Amino acid sequence: MCGIVGIIGNKPIAEDLVEALRRLEYRGYDSAGVATVEDGKLVRRRAEGKLRNLEKRLLSDPLQGHIGIGHTRWATHGRPTEVNAHPHMSATVSVVHNGIIENFRALKEELTACGHVFESDTDTEAIVHLITDEMQKGASPTKAVEHALSKLQGAFALGIIFSGDEDMMIAARKGSPLAIGHGKDEMYLGSDAIALAPFTPEITYLEEGDWAVLRRSGVEIFDVESKPVKRQAIRSVASSLMVDKGNHRHFMAKEIHEQPEVISHTLANYIDMSKAKVVLPDLGVDLVTLPRVTISACGTAYYAGLVAKYWLEQIARVPVEIDIASEFRYREAPMPPGGLAVFISQSGETADTLAALRYCKAKGQKIASVVNVRTSTIARESDSVLLTLAGPEIGVASTKAFTCQLAALACLAIGIGRARGTISREQEIAYVEALLEVPRLISALLAEDGQFNDIAQHLSQARDVLYLGRGVSFPLAMEGALKLKEISYIHAEGYAAGELKHGPIALIDENVPVIVVAPEDELFPKTISNMQEVAARGGQIIMISDADPVAAGCEQAIHISVPKVNPLASPLLYAIPVQLLAYQTAVSRGTDVDQPRNLAKSVTVE
Ligand code: M6R
């Protein structure tokens, strides 16, 4: 994680570095810093906490350099203190780093033995001393970096500047994304194109193992063997406008309310409206004989994948294997020839998901990704891409990206089902119509968001909360629990309703709210039985349902009413109350909803 930027400009660039960092704060916000070269010397400003602290620091103590690097941190090695904040530097070299240097302990021991003094607990500082050491032995800055890179194990995106040189910055990429921006007599560096959008739309993405020397006049790029290479410059579509909260108090609220619109856009990408027909990109596999779909993702994206497992098995009758990416990549799961591997990711940069993708590619699987960022590494390394059109998601808690993932995955299941002949044309039309109804039903639900206030107020006092669901509602229960814990810091767990009596029921007493995701589908009677088991033990039931709890014999339940919907589409609709409950509970508790503690939006380390 962490975001890095660099600018070689023609005026003092500290303010522009901060502007670029603001657009990368989604990658971490434990501390921030910038370094420039002034009168030939390296100078830096750093601050603990959010970027606004660095801004204050720069106001009272400005920097004048025309070349500089910047960093926003998500702590991996060392506490989020100023001393551990990037840039790290010696008198000769200053470095910003995204990633993890796995062999930093060995390097630190070696360098300390040679007289280098470390001031921080970070892995990054080893890079500074490594380059400094090479230069002290007489290497030029470029040779010193080249030698240092060959000694680094792990993942990194680096921005490096040197004292005495106001026209050279070195960038390097291994395992972490890095984009170079081309300006007029100016050059830029950033973890993504969004960071560079205010300055230039002309972007070159470094490829795995590349390193580059940037000067005002242009860039020279070298591959992993340090051979000069050409990498194409593209025109980025990232918006230069900073996304704002509109009339909402938080990005998360705005993003929840954007769902009717962005789900419509995503559905329109895969549905031919005039024919009520799903149109998929070429997935590169024979769908009729497709032996298996393997799904891998992390966090909320994984829960979208779990819903897709139900859909793909029920609608397309294709076996589905699914696992969280951090486990999957080490399991050495056998892969059938002709199989399709699907990776789901909002950012398209999640390190574990990317590693799982590369594992499946090496095993001969065709790779499809469901991503929200067209230019992301996962998208670029996939054979086919199902883009979600959620737009930039800024709140750390994923909301609109999740429902757009569900929309794309529902279309995937329907499209594969049609190709395999497991659903008829009439069923396809019925499914498509059900999906197209979702944006309107979500709007209706959002218009009634006042119904969540009292319940959220009540939830905000709880220490533990359980979420239950069956079938496609089981992943929704887990998503509800994840959403609540990540932004309100209340302990929450999601369970399959039928699993309750095998252990978790021991937790139930009058202080534990139990939120049941209970659409009136064919599993509803069984879910009701599980609710009765909770009620019999004094648990407080909050029933999210299109059915009347009294008619269902569960009169003691607090009811969150949801419009009726075709069961296929219920996960998209039931995601909304689950998100609103978490959001309003967090607001009641006064937490930092958009940037909850310890988290980052894009998790680019293992
Ligand atoms: O960018 P990705 O979709 O790959 O991110 C995966 C998870 O890190 C992400 O969904 C995370 O769990 C969210 N904070 C959940 O709200």
Side-chain angles (χ1 to χ4, degrees):
M1 275 121 78
C2 306
I4 71 172
V5 295
I7 300 177
I8 313 181
N10 291 301
K11 61 176 176 54
I13 41 73
E15 229 176 84
D16 284 348
L17 286 172
V18 170
E19 171 58 25
L21 286 177
R22 201 184 325 282
R23 306 163 74 87
L24 290 178
E25 237 190 333
Y26 71 89
R27 292 173 158 262
Y29 35 79
D30 289 341
S31 62
V34 293
T36 65
V37 183
E38 276 182 28
D39 301 326
K41 291 208 176 75
L42 288 165
V43 278
R44 69 179 165 190
R45 304 286 181 265
R46 299 180 293 173
E48 270 180 39
K50 303 237 170 114
L51 199 55
R52 57 176 172 264
N53 299 344
L54 176 66
E55 281 182 277
K56 277 192 212 143
R57 186 74 216 284
L58 282 164
L59 272 181
S60 59
D61 204 359
L63 288 175
Q64 301 300 336
H66 293 196
I67 180 171
I69 49 180
H71 188 269
T72 179
R73 178 168 189 243
W74 186 82
T76 58
H77 293 65
R79 293 177 54 75
T81 56
E82 182 170 332
V83 114
N84 287 329
H86 299 217
H88 290 285
M89 61 190 239
S90 65
T92 327
V93 59
S94 182
V95 175
V96 284
H97 167 217
N98 166 32
I100 290 180
I101 303 304
E102 286 166 4
N103 58 334
F104 92 97
R105 277 195 189 80
L107 292 173
K108 188 171 178 175
E109 269 173 34
E110 211 177 287
L111 289 157
T112 307
C114 296
H116 290 268
V117 179
F118 282 67
E119 61 170 30
S120 76
D121 304 318
T122 64
D123 52 339
T124 306
E125 204 186 339
I127 308 172
V128 172
H129 292 293
L130 205 51
I131 299 170
T132 307
D133 196 67
E134 296 285 348
M135 289 178 71
Q136 282 169 350
K137 289 179 188 154
S140 67
T142 43
K143 275 289 166 212
V145 171
E146 191 185 335
H147 286 155
L149 292 178
S150 69
K151 292 188 177 167
L152 298 179
Q153 288 165 15
F156 49 82
L158 300 173
I160 309 166
I161 53 173
F162 303 87
S163 58
D165 196 336
E166 298 188 21
D167 190 31
M168 183 174 72
M169 179 179 300
I170 299 187
R173 178 209 158 142
K174 186 181 161 209
S176 301
L178 200 52
I180 289 171
H182 306 260
K184 197 169 175 312
D185 206 21
E186 292 180 332
M187 290 299 286
Y188 303 90
L189 184 68
S191 294
D192 66 24
I194 300 170
L196 305 185
F199 313 110
T200 176
E202 206 187 330
I203 299 293
T204 300
Y205 286 99
L206 290 186
E207 292 188 9
E208 192 60 7
D210 282 355
W211 62 284
V213 180
L214 287 72
R215 294 199 173 82
R216 277 182 189 79
S217 54
V219 60
E220 287 174 281
I221 304 179
F222 305 90
D223 67 10
V224 71
E225 284 161 1
S226 293
K227 293 202 186 96
V229 277
K230 290 256 173 283
R231 303 284 181 222
Q232 208 192 342
I234 56 159
R235 240 188 132 67
S236 161
V237 290
S239 164
S240 68
L241 296 173
M242 190 65 190
V243 186
D244 67 25
K245 295 179 199 152
N247 294 329
H248 296 275
R249 191 166 154 195
H250 298 103
F251 279 110
M252 183 177 176
K254 175 174 176 253
E255 288 157 5
I256 289 174
H257 284 83
E258 281 172 353
Q259 288 176 104
E261 191 184 348
V262 295
I263 292 172
S264 294
H265 290 165
T266 303
L267 289 173
N269 218 23
Y270 303 105
I271 293 174
D272 177 340
M273 304 288 177
S274 62
K275 301 192 181 110
K277 188 176 181 338
V278 167
V279 182
L280 295 177
D282 180 6
L283 300 171
V285 286
D286 181 350
L287 294 176
V288 178
T289 58
L290 182 63
R292 189 200 293 166
V293 173
T294 303
I295 303 178
S296 208
C298 301
T300 289
Y302 168 68
Y303 296 137
L306 272 180
V307 173
K309 175 181 166 74
Y310 287 87
W311 284 336
L312 283 161
E313 290 183 343
Q314 288 166 0
I315 297 170
R317 308 301 301 152
V318 61
V320 175
E321 140 98 40
I322 175 161
D323 206 344
I324 46 175
S326 54
E327 288 299 318
F328 178 79
R329 56 180 296 200
Y330 296 113
R331 263 179 42 202
E332 299 183 18
M335 306 266 115
L340 178 70
V342 177
F343 300 88
I344 308 165
S345 175
Q346 186 285 127
S347 61
E349 301 294 351
T350 300
D352 286 314
T353 310
L354 181 58
L357 179 157
R358 288 175 179 160
Y359 175 83
C360 290
K361 202 175 219 181
K363 297 286 170 205
Q365 303 296 285
K366 280 286 171 198
I367 308 295
S369 60
V370 178
V371 289
N372 199 36
V373 182
R374 191 191 298 266
T375 52
S376 61
T377 312
I378 289 179
R380 284 183 283 128
E381 295 197 13
S382 299
D383 298 309
S384 58
V385 177
L386 281 90
L387 205 59
T388 52
L389 300 177
E393 192 180 62
I394 308 294
V396 163
S398 189
T399 52
K400 61 176 181 168
F402 176 63
T403 46
C404 286
Q405 285 160 356
L406 291 178
L409 289 163
C411 291
L412 182 71
I414 297 166
I416 297 181
R418 270 298 284 147
R420 289 166 76 85
T422 53
I423 55 168
S424 64
R425 175 74 186 118
E426 289 65 39
Q427 279 169 308
E428 178 182 21
I429 294 172
Y431 285 144
V432 165
E433 284 173 353
L435 287 174
L436 293 177
E437 247 196 328
V438 166
R440 178 180 59 78
L441 296 175
I442 292 182
S443 296
L445 205 43
L446 289 171
E448 300 293 322
D449 63 356
Q451 67 171 321
F452 298 91
N453 291 342
D454 290 347
I455 306 173
Q457 188 62 43
H458 174 65
L459 280 184
S460 69
Q461 309 301 317
R463 204 190 64 178
D464 306 290
V465 178
L466 291 184
Y467 284 75
L468 303 180
R470 272 181 180 265
V472 284
S473 300
F474 170 37
L476 263 286
M478 290 192 280
E479 167 62 2
L482 173 64
K483 217 89 298 173
L484 188 73
K485 64 187 144 195
E486 74 179 323
I487 58 169
S488 74
Y489 315 145
I490 294 172
H491 170 241
E493 298 297 337
Y495 281 101
E499 187 66 10
L500 192 68
K501 54 191 163 300
H502 299 289
I505 201 161
L507 296 171
I508 306 258
D509 65 18
E510 58 287 357
N511 297 316
V512 179
V514 180
I515 299 173
V516 190
V517 184
E520 195 171 16
D521 53 17
E522 81 275 10
L523 299 175
F524 183 65
K526 301 212 181 292
T527 308
I528 289 291
S529 305
N530 301 132
M531 275 194 265
Q532 302 291 8
E533 292 157 12
V534 173
R537 284 152 184 91
Q540 317 157 11
I541 301 168
I542 298 161
M543 173 177 163
I544 306 175
S545 183
D546 52 350
D548 174 10
V550 179
C554 214
E555 48 287 328
Q556 60 279 73
I558 298 169
H559 185 205
I560 292 177
S561 175
V562 178
K564 288 243 171 273
V565 67
N566 181 309
L568 167 86
S570 77
L572 285 105
L573 194 59
Y574 282 71
I576 309 302
V578 150
Q579 295 166 354
L580 286 169
L581 272 183
Y583 172 71
Q584 295 193 3
T585 304
V587 170
S588 298
R589 285 170 69 95
T591 57
D592 189 343
V593 171
D594 285 331
Q595 295 184 329
R597 69 184 180 205
N598 304 337
L599 291 174
K601 183 71 184 158
S602 181
V603 185
T604 55
V605 293
E606 286 181 43

